[in-house]
């Protein structure tokens, strides 16, 4: 019966913060009374002024906290918008979620409440985790994912090195670059190795086009 009631209960938020200090019941209760909205899928170039202009259309905005790369302190694609009332927060999710801003559909979810430190990205490279392993080119979010971009740069550097060697008359195996093993990943990275063959194949295609 409890499972059935939970299925009938509408989803409060698609966003789940694993660092919330409490159980699932406390988390859901915090979402039901919160006036804070988590905004995702923002362009890195979207400004606080743009966000205020859009989000103030449904209510008085108390505070905007831009998500930042923890290394460069530059915007990394998310923010928190805090309203004065719960009613305005609900209108935000109802009317602004999915709206296109800077050519991107933005995502708005109820959030349990901003605390200092949550404005920083949690990825190893400083930004959001979702931008670590992305293999598609997203101009609004820094191009390729950080891990993919590093693999691409390493492969390009290896190709350039081989070309320089041939230019100097050295006799090395032309297949040496392709036989180089992928960069070793740090312990704790998902997948254990590269993002595997798919990444290497995409890297090869991108590098070959330069």
């Amino acid at each position: 019966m409890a499972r059935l009631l939970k299925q009938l209960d509408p989803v409060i938020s698609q966003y789940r913060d694993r660092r919330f200090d409490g159980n699932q019941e406390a988390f859901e209760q915090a979402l039901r009374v919160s006036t804070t909205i988590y905004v995702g899928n923002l362009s890195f170039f979207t400004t606080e002024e743009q966000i205020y202009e859009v989000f103030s259309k449904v209510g008085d905005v108390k505070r905007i906290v831009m998500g930042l790369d923890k290394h460069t302190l530059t915007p990394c694609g998310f923010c928190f918008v805090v309203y004065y009332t719960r009613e305005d927060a609900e209108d935000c999710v109802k009317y602004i979620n999915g709206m296109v801003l800077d050519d991107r559909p933005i995502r708005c979810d109820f959030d349990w409440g901003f605390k200092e430190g949550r404005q920083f990205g949690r990825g190893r490279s400083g930004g959001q985790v979702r931008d670590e392993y992305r293999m598609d080119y997203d101009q609004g979010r820094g191009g390729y994912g950080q891990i993919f971009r590093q693999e691409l740069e390493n492969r390009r550097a290896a190709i350039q090195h081989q070309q320089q060697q041939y230019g100097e008359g050295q006799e090395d195996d032309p297949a040496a670059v392709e036989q180089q093993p992928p960069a070793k990943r740090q312990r704790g990275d998902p997948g254990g190795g590269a993002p595997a063959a798919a990444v290497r194949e995409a890297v090869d295609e991108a590098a070959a086009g330069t």
Side-chain angles (χ1 to χ4, degrees), residues 110-132:
F110 293 114
D111 184 84
W112 58 275
F114 174 76
K115 288 187 176 181
E116 189 62 33
R118 293 190 65 204
Q119 72 268 42
F120 299 116
R122 298 176 183 175
R124 288 195 302 114
S125 61
Q128 290 189 278
V129 175
R130 60 168 289 192
D131 291 312
E132 296 277 279

Side-chain angles (χ1 to χ4, degrees), residues 53-65:
E53 181 179 358
V54 171
F55 284 79
S56 62
K57 294 183 183 299
V58 297
D60 293 331
V61 175
K62 181 178 181 180
R63 184 184 184 190
I64 295 174
V65 181

Side-chain angles (χ1 to χ4, degrees), residues 137-192:
Y137 186 87
D138 189 338
Q139 185 174 1
R141 295 182 69 92
Y144 292 115
Q146 296 285 348
I147 302 300
F148 178 80
R149 185 164 63 241
Q150 186 60 53
E151 289 281 338
L152 179 59
E153 291 174 353
N154 290 343
R155 187 59 58 88
R156 284 174 174 169
I159 291 175
Q160 290 174 357
H161 178 67
Q162 287 293 103
Q163 292 173 339
Q164 290 174 355
Q165 287 183 325
Y166 289 129
E168 296 172 357
Q170 295 187 19
E171 298 180 356
D172 289 331
D173 183 2
V177 174
E178 298 301 325
Q179 296 174 356
Q180 291 180 358
K184 185 175 293 184
R185 304 283 291 284
Q186 297 295 321
R187 179 176 297 178
D189 285 351

